[in-house]
Amino acid sequence: MMMEPKSRPTQPTGSYASVNGIKMYYEVQGSGTPLVLLHGGGSTIKTTFGRIMPALSKTHRVIAVELQAHGHTGDRDAPETFAQDADDVAELLKQLDIPQANIMGFSNGGQTSLEIALRHPGRVGKLIIASAFYQREGVLAAFWKGFDDPQFSYLPQVYKDEYLKIGSQAGLVNMFNKDAQRMKVFKDWADEELRSVQAPVLVVIGDRDLATPEHAAKMARLFPHGRLAILPGNHGSYMGEVMSPNPDSKMPDLFVAMVNEFLETQADTN
């Protein structure tokens, strides 16, 4: 078990690294055991983790990453894939001289986290997969129908506004198109792949999330050392994601406490 002294939170420090042909942006805050944060599709560090990152940094060295074409991070002349994002994160950790880290991914970041565990298992201490799914059946058919003819108007205005503080309108449209294409061609992971993950995994879902609680339960049971948390809320509201309907909710504080306990507790290998 990785344990380091607790410390007070610090202000995040933004930096760039040249990673697999792109200029990747990341922020580091706090000290202690490394915890990597991976945002959702169409999002940035701030829109996904702005509410909870300061709290997490009280007990962890938080490394929050912006993935290909998102936020401050550059793009490459290639589609977005979860496999490529996983390789990018693994390369960043190598450059930061972090042999192993706990990893938490939200939504598309959760799928990237799963790919890291499959492609770079030695890099993963514990894994938190939040509001993600591994098979198309985990989400209502209407969700997939929207990718037949995705419209830029589908992207929430708050995501557009945040991106435009960082990048251009052309970059924003490019991100939307690449995100939409990735989901249009989404392919299931096999059950056997999840069974191969030896890291302790906490699967988290809102009871009114994009994916169903039943699908999250199926995921958690497939992981050899999987645990499940179903929290009241929709897609990310339990962590204070920017689209959360109640900015004053106490649920994100409870979520942070749950995450800390999962990361600090000796893994159950039974």
Side-chain angles (χ1 to χ4, degrees), residues 100-261:
Q100 188 179 81
N102 298 316
I103 298 176
M104 179 163 71
F106 168 73
S107 195
N108 278 180
Q111 281 126 3
T112 294
S113 298
L114 175 56
E115 269 304 312
I116 296 171
L118 293 170
R119 296 171 68 85
H120 307 278
R123 291 281 178 194
V124 179
K126 292 185 178 182
L127 195 64
I128 301 167
I129 298 178
S131 294
F133 49 89
Y134 81 105
Q135 292 182 328
R136 297 176 75 94
E137 68 174 15
V139 184
L140 295 176
F143 171 78
W144 300 111
K145 186 69 175 175
F147 294 104
D148 289 346
D149 182 25
Q151 302 295 314
F152 183 63
S153 58
Y154 295 169
L155 186 64
Q157 188 62 43
V158 66
Y159 293 166
K160 295 177 181 177
D161 292 343
E162 187 61 31
Y163 183 94
L164 290 173
K165 294 177 184 177
I166 301 166
S168 66
Q169 180 71 22
L172 174 62
V173 172
N174 173 69
M175 177 191 68
F176 172 79
N177 289 335
K178 287 199 167 183
D179 280 353
Q181 180 62 23
R182 169 158 57 182
M183 299 313 290
K184 182 176 182 178
V185 300
F186 181 94
K187 292 183 179 180
D188 295 351
W189 281 272
D191 289 359
E192 291 73 19
E193 292 180 283
L194 272 64
R195 291 191 184 104
S196 75
V197 175
Q198 293 304 309
V201 182
L202 175 62
V203 177
V204 186
I205 200 80
D207 63 346
R208 297 181 179 179
D209 216 311
L210 179 61
T212 65
E214 292 80 4
H215 182 74
K218 180 182 176 183
M219 287 181 67
R221 292 189 184 107
L222 286 170
F223 291 118
H225 310 296
R227 304 301 300 269
L228 173 67
I230 302 174
L231 302 175
N234 56 24
H235 195 59
S237 63
Y238 55 83
M239 67 168 62
E241 197 270 346
V242 72
M243 292 287 289
S244 302
N246 179 11
D248 298 321
S249 171
K250 302 300 183 185
M251 189 61 64
D253 300 325
L254 298 176
F255 175 73
V256 168
M258 182 181 69
V259 166
N260 285 336
E261 183 161 318

Side-chain angles (χ1 to χ4, degrees), residues 16-26 88 91-92 95:
Y16 289 90
S18 295
V19 173
N20 297 329
I22 62 172
K23 189 177 180 182
M24 173 171 273
Y25 178 81
Y26 63 98
D88 291 346
E91 174 61 23
L92 177 65
Q95 292 189 24

